[in-house]
Amino acid sequence: MALRLLDEGALARFRSYVTITRRNGWSCWEWTGKRDHMGYGRFWLDGAWRQAHRVAFVALQAEASSPMPRMRRRTIPADLPQLDHRCVNAACVRPSHLQPVTGAHNHRLRVLRGNYRTKPSLQRAAA
């Protein structure tokens, strides 16, 4: 997914949808704007709705102390196309809480954490 770096206007708009919360020992950047049926944030950028956590991962450099860090482009590797929320919070957009993973690995993590509802046969296959 090719995304441009956020300009000042887009960064301000993005920032307006983020609030810092504590959840399960994690200090998350919780998305307060539009969300999809799975709880993932949605952000309008480049003429389309984008997943907010992917925008944050690609366009923002993670810094522990700042709710909106300096901008520096990162890429999501082609061989690791999904992002796992290490904090197990679908609404979190903090780049340091996201890690690129394969689809199969992401599925296994969801099943092991018990936060993924799927068919029992798929749960057995992921274990």
Side-chain angles (χ1 to χ4, degrees):
M1 167 174 56
L3 289 173
R4 62 178 168 81
L5 289 174
L6 300 178
D7 59 33
E8 287 302 315
L11 181 61
R13 206 165 37 86
F14 192 91
R15 181 183 291 130
S16 73
Y17 294 113
V18 175
T19 186
I20 298 174
T21 61
R22 294 276 307 161
R23 220 179 134 135
N24 300 327
W26 292 83
S27 180
C28 293
W29 296 354
E30 186 106 14
W31 187 257
T32 61
K34 179 182 174 91
R35 293 190 196 182
D36 66 16
H37 69 283
M38 298 289 289
Y40 295 101
R42 306 291 284 166
F43 183 67
W44 185 260
L45 182 67
D46 295 338
W49 286 107
R50 311 286 180 171
Q51 289 186 317
H53 66 285
R54 294 178 74 85
V55 171
F57 186 85
V58 171
L60 303 175
Q61 172 190 350
E63 287 181 0
S65 61
S66 172
M68 281 295 121
R70 291 174 282 144
M71 290 182 283
R72 182 179 74 189
R73 181 177 295 279
R74 291 200 285 178
T75 59
I76 299 171
D79 60 331
L80 301 171
Q82 295 187 10
L83 292 175
D84 172 51
H85 285 80
R86 296 176 21 219
C87 56
V88 194
N89 178 1
C92 182
V93 296
R94 189 171 190 168
S96 62
H97 291 192
L98 305 169
Q99 65 180 358
V101 295
T102 64
H105 185 69
N106 201 18
H107 178 78
R108 279 188 208 95
L109 288 171
R110 288 177 175 180
V111 171
L112 290 172
R113 292 172 180 156
N115 65 337
Y116 189 58
R117 296 185 183 121
T118 187
K119 296 178 182 176
S121 60
L122 292 177
Q123 289 180 345
R124 284 192 300 275

